[in-house]
Amino acid sequence: MPPSEVSGTTGRPRDPAVELRILTATQDLLADHGYPGTTIAAVAARARCSKAAIYRRWTTKPELVVAAVRAAQHVPEPPDTGDLREDLLAAAMHFAESEDRSGVLLASVLSEIGRDPELYEAAHRVVGGPPVAVLVAVIERWIARGVVPPHVHVRLLADVVPTAAFGSVVLRKRALDPSTVEELVDFVLLPALTAPGVR
Amino acid sequence: MPPSEVSGTTGRPRDPAVELRILTATQDLLADHGYPGTTIAAVAARARCSKAAIYRRWTTKPELVVAAVRAAQHVPEPPDTGDLREDLLAAAMHFAESEDRSGVLLASVLSEIGRDPELYEAAHRVVGGPPVAVLVAVIERWIARGVVPPHVHVRLLADVVPTAAFGSVVLRKRALDPSTVEELVDFVLLPALTAPGVR
DNA sequence: CCGTAACGGTACCGGACGGTACCGTTAGTG
DNA sequence: CACTAACGGTACCGTCCGGTACCGTTACGG
C-alpha cells in the first residue's frame, strides 16, 4: 500500500520526490543497519525531510518498512534457456548479490520484524514468494520434460539457495557470493536433481 | 566464562541454585521470545530472583546470554555406525528439535545479537562450530573410505542442514522437523554425495 | 488573493529497558 | 558474636525511540 492516499482536494500537494527519498533511505538503512537500526529519525535525516513528512504518509514504522521492501522488488521472469543448468543458475542468481537489493532487504526485515505475524506474513508473501516460485517452476518444467525424475523433492531443493542466501545475510551481514550460488547449483542442486532414486 | 568468580573469602556464599535458575530462565526466554524479548527484568522474574542477583554474576546482558547459550550445549560425538546414511542422520539430527535446545538458542541469539562482532564471534565459535564440524568429519571419513568421491564440496554440503535449521528457527519460529532433516539427508545430501562428477 | 494542506524543524510525551544504588534480611566464617 | 557478602525487593537514572503536536513557511487550487 503506497502512502495513504487520503488527502484533501486542495492545499499544497505532496512532493513525490520526498516519498521516493524516504523509501530509498529506508532501504539503505535496512540493508546497512537492520530493522532496529532503522530509526524513523535516521530515515528522516537521510531522506532530508522531517519525521512529520514520514508519518503523513505511513501510520507506523512497520508499514513504512513493508512499503520500502516492496518498492525494492521486481518480479523475475522464469528463465527458459533450453539448458537445465542455465535455467537453475538464472533463477538462483536472483539471490546473489546484485543491484537488486530485494533479497538482502527481505532477509534483514524478516529476521527482525519480530512477533507481528500479520506484517511478517505480508512481507513474506509479497517479497519472499515469487523468487522461490521461479525456482519451483524451473524444476517442474524439467520434470515435465522428463529430464529430471519425478521423485525429487521439489520444494526442498528449491529452498536450498534462498535459505543459504538468508543465512548469509543474517549471519555474515553480506549477500551470497555469485560463485557460491554457482557451486550450490553444481554441487547440490544438479546432483540431487539428476541422481537416480536413492534409498 | 561462568559467573565472575571474584568474591571475598568471607560473607554469605552465593547460592548455586540461583545461578542455575538464572541460566535456565535465560534459555527459556531466548527460545520463546528471542534476544530483544529477553529482558533482564523478565529473566529475574522467571528465575525468582532480583536483578541485582544477576548483575552480581554477569556484568552485562550479552555476557549473560552467551553464558546461557554455552550452558545449553553439549558437544556431540561424531557417529560411526558403519553406514553412511545412518552417520549423516545422526549428525544432522542434532539440528532438529529435541531436548537439546542449543541449536534453537544459537539461532535466536545469532540473528539478533546485533552488531557486536566480538560477542557474535564468541557465540558462533563456541556453539556453532562443533556440530558442523561433526558433519564435516562424517563426510570426510566416508571420503577416506572411498565411498564418497573426493570431488564433493564438503563444506557446502555440511552447511545445508545447519543453514536450513537456522532459517526455520528464525523465519518460522520453530525448530526443524526431524522428518524434514531426514528428507534433507535422503533427497539432498545423499544424492549429492553419491552422484558421479557433474559438470 | 484567500484557504488549505504539505513542507522542514523541533520540542515533547510516554513507555521500555539496561544498569545502579540502597534497603533490611540472612547465611555463612573466624 | 561480630563481620562480611549474597539475598529479594525496589526505587531510580539515563537513554533510546516511536509517535504526536505545533511552529512559521511555502506551494497549489478556486
mmCIF file of all heavy atoms in Angstrom, chain B residues 10-13 36 38-41 51-52 55 60-61, chain C residues 16-23 25-30:
data_model
loop_
_atom_site.group_PDB
_atom_site.id
_atom_site.type_symbol
_atom_site.label_atom_id
_atom_site.label_comp_id
_atom_site.label_asym_id
_atom_site.label_seq_id
_atom_site.Cartn_x
_atom_site.Cartn_y
_atom_site.Cartn_z
ATOM 1 N N THR B 10 35.024 -14.324 52.686
ATOM 2 C CA THR B 10 34.052 -14.478 53.759
ATOM 3 C C THR B 10 32.716 -13.899 53.332
ATOM 4 O O THR B 10 32.570 -13.409 52.234
ATOM 5 C CB THR B 10 34.555 -13.773 55.030
ATOM 6 O OG1 THR B 10 33.533 -13.825 56.020
ATOM 7 C CG2 THR B 10 34.882 -12.342 54.746
ATOM 8 N N GLY B 11 31.757 -13.958 54.214
ATOM 9 C CA GLY B 11 30.431 -13.456 53.879
ATOM 10 C C GLY B 11 29.516 -14.567 53.448
ATOM 11 O O GLY B 11 29.920 -15.721 53.321
ATOM 12 N N ARG B 12 28.278 -14.232 53.179
ATOM 13 C CA ARG B 12 27.320 -15.249 52.749
ATOM 14 C C ARG B 12 27.699 -15.777 51.378
ATOM 15 O O ARG B 12 27.890 -15.001 50.436
ATOM 16 C CB ARG B 12 25.922 -14.625 52.686
ATOM 17 C CG ARG B 12 24.857 -15.576 52.180
ATOM 18 C CD ARG B 12 23.499 -14.929 52.269
ATOM 19 N NE ARG B 12 22.464 -15.750 51.688
ATOM 20 C CZ ARG B 12 21.183 -15.467 51.738
ATOM 21 N NH1 ARG B 12 20.783 -14.359 52.350
ATOM 22 N NH2 ARG B 12 20.297 -16.251 51.200
ATOM 23 N N PRO B 13 27.796 -17.068 51.197
ATOM 24 C CA PRO B 13 28.197 -17.611 49.889
ATOM 25 C C PRO B 13 27.058 -17.517 48.892
ATOM 26 O O PRO B 13 25.882 -17.455 49.279
ATOM 27 C CB PRO B 13 28.531 -19.075 50.208
ATOM 28 C CG PRO B 13 27.687 -19.389 51.396
ATOM 29 C CD PRO B 13 27.560 -18.123 52.181
ATOM 30 N N PRO B 36 15.693 -9.724 21.909
ATOM 31 C CA PRO B 36 15.119 -8.482 22.459
ATOM 32 C C PRO B 36 14.070 -8.766 23.524
ATOM 33 O O PRO B 36 13.933 -7.991 24.464
ATOM 34 C CB PRO B 36 14.485 -7.804 21.240
ATOM 35 C CG PRO B 36 15.027 -8.511 20.052
ATOM 36 C CD PRO B 36 15.399 -9.875 20.481
ATOM 37 N N THR B 38 14.144 -11.002 25.652
ATOM 38 C CA THR B 38 14.768 -11.488 26.875
ATOM 39 C C THR B 38 15.294 -10.307 27.677
ATOM 40 O O THR B 38 16.463 -9.960 27.599
ATOM 41 C CB THR B 38 15.912 -12.466 26.530
ATOM 42 O OG1 THR B 38 15.399 -13.507 25.707
ATOM 43 C CG2 THR B 38 16.506 -13.060 27.786
ATOM 44 N N THR B 39 14.424 -9.695 28.442
ATOM 45 C CA THR B 39 14.860 -8.559 29.253
ATOM 46 C C THR B 39 15.367 -9.061 30.600
ATOM 47 O O THR B 39 14.957 -10.117 31.074
ATOM 48 C CB THR B 39 13.712 -7.571 29.487
ATOM 49 O OG1 THR B 39 12.733 -8.195 30.317
ATOM 50 C CG2 THR B 39 13.056 -7.180 28.176
ATOM 51 N N ILE B 40 16.236 -8.270 31.194
ATOM 52 C CA ILE B 40 16.800 -8.676 32.478
ATOM 53 C C ILE B 40 15.699 -8.807 33.520
ATOM 54 O O ILE B 40 15.693 -9.739 34.332
ATOM 55 C CB ILE B 40 17.857 -7.653 32.930
ATOM 56 C CG1 ILE B 40 18.979 -7.568 31.889
ATOM 57 C CG2 ILE B 40 18.429 -8.040 34.285
ATOM 58 C CD1 ILE B 40 19.777 -8.819 31.750
ATOM 59 N N ALA B 41 14.752 -7.894 33.469
ATOM 60 C CA ALA B 41 13.651 -7.962 34.435
ATOM 61 C C ALA B 41 12.869 -9.269 34.257
ATOM 62 O O ALA B 41 12.493 -9.911 35.238
ATOM 63 C CB ALA B 41 12.723 -6.755 34.250
ATOM 64 N N LYS B 51 17.132 -8.530 40.063
ATOM 65 C CA LYS B 51 18.070 -8.115 39.037
ATOM 66 C C LYS B 51 19.482 -8.030 39.604
ATOM 67 O O LYS B 51 20.460 -8.364 38.929
ATOM 68 C CB LYS B 51 17.656 -6.751 38.468
ATOM 69 C CG LYS B 51 16.442 -6.800 37.573
ATOM 70 C CD LYS B 51 15.904 -5.417 37.256
ATOM 71 C CE LYS B 51 16.899 -4.559 36.521
ATOM 72 N NZ LYS B 51 16.318 -3.250 36.166
ATOM 73 N N ALA B 52 19.566 -7.594 40.859
ATOM 74 C CA ALA B 52 20.883 -7.476 41.488
ATOM 75 C C ALA B 52 21.600 -8.817 41.506
ATOM 76 O O ALA B 52 22.809 -8.894 41.279
ATOM 77 C CB ALA B 52 20.743 -6.927 42.900
ATOM 78 N N TYR B 55 23.198 -9.224 38.117
ATOM 79 C CA TYR B 55 24.356 -8.362 37.847
ATOM 80 C C TYR B 55 25.506 -8.646 38.805
ATOM 81 O O TYR B 55 26.624 -8.179 38.579
ATOM 82 C CB TYR B 55 23.936 -6.895 37.914
ATOM 83 C CG TYR B 55 23.225 -6.459 36.654
ATOM 84 C CD1 TYR B 55 21.854 -6.255 36.631
ATOM 85 C CD2 TYR B 55 23.936 -6.309 35.472
ATOM 86 C CE1 TYR B 55 21.209 -5.882 35.466
ATOM 87 C CE2 TYR B 55 23.301 -5.943 34.303
ATOM 88 C CZ TYR B 55 21.939 -5.731 34.308
ATOM 89 O OH TYR B 55 21.305 -5.366 33.150
ATOM 90 N N THR B 60 26.970 -7.774 32.155
ATOM 91 C CA THR B 60 26.161 -7.158 31.115
ATOM 92 C C THR B 60 25.260 -8.203 30.471
ATOM 93 O O THR B 60 25.501 -9.415 30.579
ATOM 94 C CB THR B 60 27.068 -6.499 30.055
ATOM 95 O OG1 THR B 60 26.261 -5.801 29.126
ATOM 96 C CG2 THR B 60 27.866 -7.553 29.333
ATOM 97 N N LYS B 61 24.227 -7.751 29.804
ATOM 98 C CA LYS B 61 23.271 -8.680 29.234
ATOM 99 C C LYS B 61 23.878 -9.628 28.193
ATOM 100 O O LYS B 61 23.642 -10.837 28.264
ATOM 101 C CB LYS B 61 22.098 -7.906 28.623
ATOM 102 C CG LYS B 61 21.110 -8.777 27.874
ATOM 103 C CD LYS B 61 19.964 -7.979 27.304
ATOM 104 C CE LYS B 61 19.115 -8.847 26.377
ATOM 105 N NZ LYS B 61 17.953 -8.133 25.818
ATOM 106 P P DA C 16 5.658 -0.387 28.469
ATOM 107 O OP1 DA C 16 4.641 -1.361 28.022
ATOM 108 O OP2 DA C 16 5.780 -0.007 29.894
ATOM 109 O "O5'" DA C 16 7.080 -0.893 27.957
ATOM 110 C "C5'" DA C 16 7.409 -0.696 26.585
ATOM 111 C "C4'" DA C 16 8.905 -0.792 26.430
ATOM 112 O "O4'" DA C 16 9.502 0.483 26.752
ATOM 113 C "C3'" DA C 16 9.542 -1.821 27.370
ATOM 114 O "O3'" DA C 16 10.370 -2.669 26.602
ATOM 115 C "C2'" DA C 16 10.333 -0.968 28.372
ATOM 116 C "C1'" DA C 16 10.642 0.280 27.559
ATOM 117 N N9 DA C 16 10.825 1.487 28.363
ATOM 118 C C8 DA C 16 9.977 1.965 29.326
ATOM 119 N N7 DA C 16 10.397 3.078 29.884
ATOM 120 C C5 DA C 16 11.600 3.343 29.246
ATOM 121 C C6 DA C 16 12.531 4.387 29.380
ATOM 122 N N6 DA C 16 12.399 5.392 30.238
ATOM 123 N N1 DA C 16 13.633 4.347 28.578
ATOM 124 C C2 DA C 16 13.765 3.336 27.715
ATOM 125 N N3 DA C 16 12.952 2.304 27.496
ATOM 126 C C4 DA C 16 11.873 2.372 28.307
ATOM 127 P P DC C 17 10.831 -4.047 27.217
ATOM 128 O OP1 DC C 17 10.827 -5.025 26.110
ATOM 129 O OP2 DC C 17 10.074 -4.299 28.454
ATOM 130 O "O5'" DC C 17 12.342 -3.748 27.596
ATOM 131 C "C5'" DC C 17 13.160 -3.045 26.661
ATOM 132 C "C4'" DC C 17 14.403 -2.548 27.328
ATOM 133 O "O4'" DC C 17 14.162 -1.264 27.951
ATOM 134 C "C3'" DC C 17 14.906 -3.467 28.453
ATOM 135 O "O3'" DC C 17 16.272 -3.682 28.256
ATOM 136 C "C2'" DC C 17 14.656 -2.630 29.709
ATOM 137 C "C1'" DC C 17 14.886 -1.235 29.154
ATOM 138 N N1 DC C 17 14.360 -0.151 30.028
ATOM 139 C C2 DC C 17 15.094 1.023 30.180
ATOM 140 O O2 DC C 17 16.156 1.140 29.571
ATOM 141 N N3 DC C 17 14.623 2.003 30.979
ATOM 142 C C4 DC C 17 13.467 1.830 31.620
ATOM 143 N N4 DC C 17 13.034 2.817 32.404
ATOM 144 C C5 DC C 17 12.697 0.635 31.477
ATOM 145 C C6 DC C 17 13.178 -0.324 30.672
ATOM 146 P P DG C 18 17.003 -5.037 28.766
ATOM 147 O OP1 DG C 18 17.071 -5.981 27.642
ATOM 148 O OP2 DG C 18 16.377 -5.442 30.034
ATOM 149 O "O5'" DG C 18 18.472 -4.500 29.046
ATOM 150 C "C5'" DG C 18 19.130 -3.763 28.029
ATOM 151 C "C4'" DG C 18 20.154 -2.843 28.653
ATOM 152 O "O4'" DG C 18 19.473 -1.755 29.320
ATOM 153 C "C3'" DG C 18 21.037 -3.505 29.707
ATOM 154 O "O3'" DG C 18 22.368 -3.030 29.567
ATOM 155 C "C2'" DG C 18 20.403 -3.067 31.022
ATOM 156 C "C1'" DG C 18 19.862 -1.682 30.669
ATOM 157 N N9 DG C 18 18.668 -1.320 31.444
ATOM 158 C C8 DG C 18 17.526 -2.054 31.588
ATOM 159 N N7 DG C 18 16.633 -1.469 32.331
ATOM 160 C C5 DG C 18 17.220 -0.266 32.697
ATOM 161 C C6 DG C 18 16.723 0.782 33.504
ATOM 162 O O6 DG C 18 15.644 0.867 34.076
ATOM 163 N N1 DG C 18 17.651 1.829 33.625
ATOM 164 C C2 DG C 18 18.887 1.839 33.033
ATOM 165 N N2 DG C 18 19.647 2.910 33.264
ATOM 166 N N3 DG C 18 19.366 0.861 32.276
ATOM 167 C C4 DG C 18 18.475 -0.159 32.154
ATOM 168 P P DG C 19 23.562 -3.792 30.328
ATOM 169 O OP1 DG C 19 24.825 -3.522 29.605
ATOM 170 O OP2 DG C 19 23.168 -5.165 30.613
ATOM 171 O "O5'" DG C 19 23.606 -2.951 31.685
ATOM 172 C "C5'" DG C 19 23.979 -1.582 31.613
ATOM 173 C "C4'" DG C 19 23.706 -0.910 32.932
ATOM 174 O "O4'" DG C 19 22.294 -0.844 33.190
ATOM 175 C "C3'" DG C 19 24.319 -1.582 34.178
ATOM 176 O "O3'" DG C 19 25.312 -0.710 34.704
ATOM 177 C "C2'" DG C 19 23.137 -1.773 35.119
ATOM 178 C "C1'" DG C 19 22.137 -0.762 34.576
ATOM 179 N N9 DG C 19 20.749 -1.077 34.929
ATOM 180 C C8 DG C 19 20.031 -2.180 34.557
ATOM 181 N N7 DG C 19 18.807 -2.181 35.018
ATOM 182 C C5 DG C 19 18.715 -1.005 35.745
ATOM 183 C C6 DG C 19 17.637 -0.448 36.471
ATOM 184 O O6 DG C 19 16.504 -0.917 36.622
ATOM 185 N N1 DG C 19 17.971 0.769 37.043
ATOM 186 C C2 DG C 19 19.188 1.382 36.940
ATOM 187 N N2 DG C 19 19.340 2.546 37.559
ATOM 188 N N3 DG C 19 20.216 0.880 36.255
ATOM 189 C C4 DG C 19 19.903 -0.309 35.693
ATOM 190 P P DT C 20 26.105 -1.044 36.023
ATOM 191 O OP1 DT C 20 27.461 -0.511 35.891
ATOM 192 O OP2 DT C 20 25.870 -2.465 36.353
ATOM 193 O "O5'" DT C 20 25.330 -0.152 37.086
ATOM 194 C "C5'" DT C 20 25.200 1.243 36.860
ATOM 195 C "C4'" DT C 20 24.633 1.923 38.092
ATOM 196 O "O4'" DT C 20 23.226 1.573 38.230
ATOM 197 C "C3'" DT C 20 25.305 1.530 39.414
ATOM 198 O "O3'" DT C 20 25.624 2.726 40.118
ATOM 199 C "C2'" DT C 20 24.247 0.694 40.138
ATOM 200 C "C1'" DT C 20 22.954 1.259 39.578
ATOM 201 N N1 DT C 20 21.810 0.310 39.561
ATOM 202 C C2 DT C 20 20.638 0.662 40.189
ATOM 203 O O2 DT C 20 20.487 1.718 40.774
ATOM 204 N N3 DT C 20 19.635 -0.279 40.111
ATOM 205 C C4 DT C 20 19.692 -1.499 39.466
ATOM 206 O O4 DT C 20 18.728 -2.253 39.471
ATOM 207 C C5 DT C 20 20.938 -1.808 38.831
ATOM 208 C C7 DT C 20 21.101 -3.099 38.109
ATOM 209 C C6 DT C 20 21.936 -0.900 38.901
ATOM 210 P P DA C 21 26.430 2.619 41.522
ATOM 211 O OP1 DA C 21 27.346 3.774 41.574
ATOM 212 O OP2 DA C 21 26.943 1.247 41.704
ATOM 213 O "O5'" DA C 21 25.262 2.865 42.586
ATOM 214 C "C5'" DA C 21 24.227 3.785 42.260
ATOM 215 C "C4'" DA C 21 23.287 3.942 43.459
ATOM 216 O "O4'" DA C 21 22.155 3.049 43.311
ATOM 217 C "C3'" DA C 21 23.919 3.608 44.811
ATOM 218 O "O3'" DA C 21 23.415 4.502 45.792
ATOM 219 C "C2'" DA C 21 23.450 2.173 45.071
ATOM 220 C "C1'" DA C 21 22.075 2.176 44.417
ATOM 221 N N9 DA C 21 21.682 0.863 43.898
ATOM 222 C C8 DA C 21 22.473 -0.034 43.246
ATOM 223 N N7 DA C 21 21.858 -1.124 42.877
ATOM 224 C C5 DA C 21 20.560 -0.942 43.315
ATOM 225 C C6 DA C 21 19.409 -1.739 43.235
ATOM 226 N N6 DA C 21 19.388 -2.932 42.660
ATOM 227 N N1 DA C 21 18.263 -1.245 43.781
ATOM 228 C C2 DA C 21 18.297 -0.035 44.360
ATOM 229 N N3 DA C 21 19.320 0.805 44.493
ATOM 230 C C4 DA C 21 20.429 0.284 43.947
ATOM 231 P P DC C 22 24.166 4.597 47.209
ATOM 232 O OP1 DC C 22 24.302 6.037 47.478
ATOM 233 O OP2 DC C 22 25.345 3.694 47.238
ATOM 234 O "O5'" DC C 22 23.078 4.013 48.203
ATOM 235 C "C5'" DC C 22 21.729 4.433 48.077
ATOM 236 C "C4'" DC C 22 20.805 3.432 48.712
ATOM 237 O "O4'" DC C 22 20.605 2.310 47.812
ATOM 238 C "C3'" DC C 22 21.329 2.811 50.022
ATOM 239 O "O3'" DC C 22 20.428 3.092 51.076
ATOM 240 C "C2'" DC C 22 21.404 1.331 49.732
ATOM 241 C "C1'" DC C 22 20.380 1.179 48.619
ATOM 242 N N1 DC C 22 20.565 -0.046 47.807
ATOM 243 C C2 DC C 22 19.464 -0.863 47.529
ATOM 244 O O2 DC C 22 18.356 -0.537 47.944
ATOM 245 N N3 DC C 22 19.643 -1.996 46.806
ATOM 246 C C4 DC C 22 20.877 -2.312 46.372
ATOM 247 N N4 DC C 22 21.004 -3.437 45.656
ATOM 248 C C5 DC C 22 22.008 -1.492 46.643
ATOM 249 C C6 DC C 22 21.811 -0.383 47.357
ATOM 250 P P DC C 23 20.829 2.808 52.588
ATOM 251 O OP1 DC C 23 20.607 4.084 53.294
ATOM 252 O OP2 DC C 23 22.139 2.140 52.657
ATOM 253 O "O5'" DC C 23 19.731 1.758 53.066
ATOM 254 C "C5'" DC C 23 18.390 2.113 53.090
ATOM 255 C "C4'" DC C 23 17.462 0.947 52.861
ATOM 256 O "O4'" DC C 23 17.792 0.278 51.633
ATOM 257 C "C3'" DC C 23 17.540 -0.160 53.898
ATOM 258 O "O3'" DC C 23 16.742 0.185 55.029
ATOM 259 C "C2'" DC C 23 16.943 -1.335 53.151
ATOM 260 C "C1'" DC C 23 17.285 -1.046 51.681
ATOM 261 N N1 DC C 23 18.316 -1.957 51.087
ATOM 262 C C2 DC C 23 17.941 -3.206 50.600
ATOM 263 O O2 DC C 23 16.755 -3.553 50.685
ATOM 264 N N3 DC C 23 18.875 -4.025 50.061
ATOM 265 C C4 DC C 23 20.152 -3.607 49.990
ATOM 266 N N4 DC C 23 21.056 -4.413 49.447
ATOM 267 C C5 DC C 23 20.560 -2.325 50.487
ATOM 268 C C6 DC C 23 19.619 -1.537 51.025
ATOM 269 P P DT C 25 14.861 -6.030 58.852
ATOM 270 O OP1 DT C 25 13.567 -6.458 59.404
ATOM 271 O OP2 DT C 25 15.941 -5.573 59.758
ATOM 272 O "O5'" DT C 25 15.413 -7.216 57.963
ATOM 273 C "C5'" DT C 25 14.584 -7.751 56.940
ATOM 274 C "C4'" DT C 25 15.221 -9.005 56.353
ATOM 275 O "O4'" DT C 25 16.437 -8.645 55.640
ATOM 276 C "C3'" DT C 25 15.616 -10.074 57.371
ATOM 277 O "O3'" DT C 25 15.157 -11.329 56.894
ATOM 278 C "C2'" DT C 25 17.141 -9.979 57.405
ATOM 279 C "C1'" DT C 25 17.443 -9.591 55.957
ATOM 280 N N1 DT C 25 18.761 -8.949 55.733
ATOM 281 C C2 DT C 25 19.653 -9.532 54.881
ATOM 282 O O2 DT C 25 19.427 -10.566 54.274
ATOM 283 N N3 DT C 25 20.850 -8.863 54.735
ATOM 284 C C4 DT C 25 21.217 -7.695 55.360
ATOM 285 O O4 DT C 25 22.321 -7.192 55.157
ATOM 286 C C5 DT C 25 20.247 -7.129 56.257
ATOM 287 C C7 DT C 25 20.550 -5.875 57.000
ATOM 288 C C6 DT C 25 19.069 -7.775 56.400
ATOM 289 P P DT C 26 15.298 -12.606 57.808
ATOM 290 O OP1 DT C 26 14.135 -13.470 57.541
ATOM 291 O OP2 DT C 26 15.636 -12.182 59.178
ATOM 292 O "O5'" DT C 26 16.565 -13.310 57.160
ATOM 293 C "C5'" DT C 26 16.504 -13.727 55.808
ATOM 294 C "C4'" DT C 26 17.807 -14.378 55.418
ATOM 295 O "O4'" DT C 26 18.857 -13.382 55.356
ATOM 296 C "C3'" DT C 26 18.316 -15.455 56.378
ATOM 297 O "O3'" DT C 26 18.804 -16.536 55.621
ATOM 298 C "C2'" DT C 26 19.442 -14.759 57.125
ATOM 299 C "C1'" DT C 26 20.007 -13.892 56.002
ATOM 300 N N1 DT C 26 20.829 -12.743 56.437
ATOM 301 C C2 DT C 26 22.006 -12.506 55.799
ATOM 302 O O2 DT C 26 22.425 -13.193 54.896
ATOM 303 N N3 DT C 26 22.707 -11.406 56.268
ATOM 304 C C4 DT C 26 22.323 -10.558 57.288
ATOM 305 O O4 DT C 26 23.031 -9.613 57.628
ATOM 306 C C5 DT C 26 21.073 -10.870 57.909
ATOM 307 C C7 DT C 26 20.566 -10.009 59.023
ATOM 308 C C6 DT C 26 20.383 -11.937 57.465
ATOM 309 P P DA C 27 18.694 -18.007 56.218
ATOM 310 O OP1 DA C 27 17.749 -18.789 55.406
ATOM 311 O OP2 DA C 27 18.517 -17.896 57.689
ATOM 312 O "O5'" DA C 27 20.157 -18.557 55.925
ATOM 313 C "C5'" DA C 27 20.624 -18.554 54.599
ATOM 314 C "C4'" DA C 27 22.140 -18.441 54.593
ATOM 315 O "O4'" DA C 27 22.520 -17.143 55.092
ATOM 316 C "C3'" DA C 27 22.852 -19.474 55.486
ATOM 317 O "O3'" DA C 27 23.917 -20.047 54.753
ATOM 318 C "C2'" DA C 27 23.370 -18.637 56.653
ATOM 319 C "C1'" DA C 27 23.626 -17.309 55.956
ATOM 320 N N9 DA C 27 23.649 -16.153 56.857
ATOM 321 C C8 DA C 27 22.753 -15.841 57.834
ATOM 322 N N7 DA C 27 23.028 -14.731 58.474
ATOM 323 C C5 DA C 27 24.194 -14.274 57.879
ATOM 324 C C6 DA C 27 24.999 -13.145 58.101
ATOM 325 N N6 DA C 27 24.730 -12.222 59.031
ATOM 326 N N1 DA C 27 26.088 -12.986 57.323
ATOM 327 C C2 DA C 27 26.341 -13.912 56.389
ATOM 328 N N3 DA C 27 25.660 -15.016 56.079
ATOM 329 C C4 DA C 27 24.581 -15.140 56.875
ATOM 330 P P DG C 28 24.236 -21.571 54.874
ATOM 331 O OP1 DG C 28 23.440 -22.284 53.884
ATOM 332 O OP2 DG C 28 24.167 -21.940 56.321
ATOM 333 O "O5'" DG C 28 25.752 -21.622 54.428
ATOM 334 C "C5'" DG C 28 26.743 -21.708 55.413
ATOM 335 C "C4'" DG C 28 27.586 -20.441 55.385
ATOM 336 O "O4'" DG C 28 26.850 -19.353 55.989
ATOM 337 C "C3'" DG C 28 28.851 -20.519 56.237
ATOM 338 O "O3'" DG C 28 29.917 -21.073 55.478
ATOM 339 C "C2'" DG C 28 29.127 -19.046 56.576
ATOM 340 C "C1'" DG C 28 27.793 -18.362 56.370
ATOM 341 N N9 DG C 28 27.287 -17.675 57.556
ATOM 342 C C8 DG C 28 26.166 -17.969 58.306
ATOM 343 N N7 DG C 28 25.966 -17.131 59.281
ATOM 344 C C5 DG C 28 27.013 -16.226 59.175
ATOM 345 C C6 DG C 28 27.319 -15.080 59.956
ATOM 346 O O6 DG C 28 26.713 -14.637 60.936
ATOM 347 N N1 DG C 28 28.476 -14.444 59.490
ATOM 348 C C2 DG C 28 29.219 -14.853 58.415
ATOM 349 N N2 DG C 28 30.291 -14.122 58.117
ATOM 350 N N3 DG C 28 28.947 -15.909 57.670
ATOM 351 C C4 DG C 28 27.834 -16.546 58.108
ATOM 352 P P DT C 29 31.213 -21.624 56.209
ATOM 353 O OP1 DT C 29 32.050 -22.341 55.240
ATOM 354 O OP2 DT C 29 30.731 -22.305 57.432
ATOM 355 O "O5'" DT C 29 31.959 -20.299 56.668
ATOM 356 C "C5'" DT C 29 32.629 -19.482 55.699
ATOM 357 C "C4'" DT C 29 33.566 -18.511 56.405
ATOM 358 O "O4'" DT C 29 32.808 -17.609 57.251
ATOM 359 C "C3'" DT C 29 34.606 -19.176 57.308
ATOM 360 O "O3'" DT C 29 35.844 -18.515 57.144
ATOM 361 C "C2'" DT C 29 34.026 -18.979 58.705
ATOM 362 C "C1'" DT C 29 33.334 -17.630 58.564
ATOM 363 N N1 DT C 29 32.185 -17.441 59.493
ATOM 364 C C2 DT C 29 32.138 -16.315 60.294
ATOM 365 O O2 DT C 29 32.987 -15.454 60.294
ATOM 366 N N3 DT C 29 31.031 -16.240 61.102
ATOM 367 C C4 DT C 29 29.986 -17.156 61.186
ATOM 368 O O4 DT C 29 29.046 -16.973 61.948
ATOM 369 C C5 DT C 29 30.104 -18.297 60.315
ATOM 370 C C7 DT C 29 29.042 -19.342 60.311
ATOM 371 C C6 DT C 29 31.185 -18.393 59.510
ATOM 372 P P DG C 30 37.161 -19.175 57.816
ATOM 373 O OP1 DG C 30 38.264 -18.959 56.849
ATOM 374 O OP2 DG C 30 36.839 -20.542 58.288
ATOM 375 O "O5'" DG C 30 37.426 -18.263 59.096
ATOM 376 C "C5'" DG C 30 37.773 -16.891 58.923
ATOM 377 C "C4'" DG C 30 37.935 -16.216 60.269
ATOM 378 O "O4'" DG C 30 36.637 -16.111 60.917
ATOM 379 C "C3'" DG C 30 38.844 -16.951 61.249
ATOM 380 O "O3'" DG C 30 39.662 -16.016 61.946
ATOM 381 C "C2'" DG C 30 37.867 -17.617 62.228
ATOM 382 C "C1'" DG C 30 36.717 -16.625 62.237
ATOM 383 N N9 DG C 30 35.425 -17.253 62.543
ATOM 384 C C8 DG C 30 34.941 -18.459 62.086
ATOM 385 N N7 DG C 30 33.753 -18.763 62.515
ATOM 386 C C5 DG C 30 33.409 -17.672 63.324
ATOM 387 C C6 DG C 30 32.232 -17.422 64.067
ATOM 388 O O6 DG C 30 31.216 -18.135 64.157
ATOM 389 N N1 DG C 30 32.302 -16.194 64.732
ATOM 390 C C2 DG C 30 33.365 -15.334 64.688
ATOM 391 N N2 DG C 30 33.238 -14.211 65.389
ATOM 392 N N3 DG C 30 34.484 -15.557 63.991
ATOM 393 C C4 DG C 30 34.426 -16.742 63.341
#
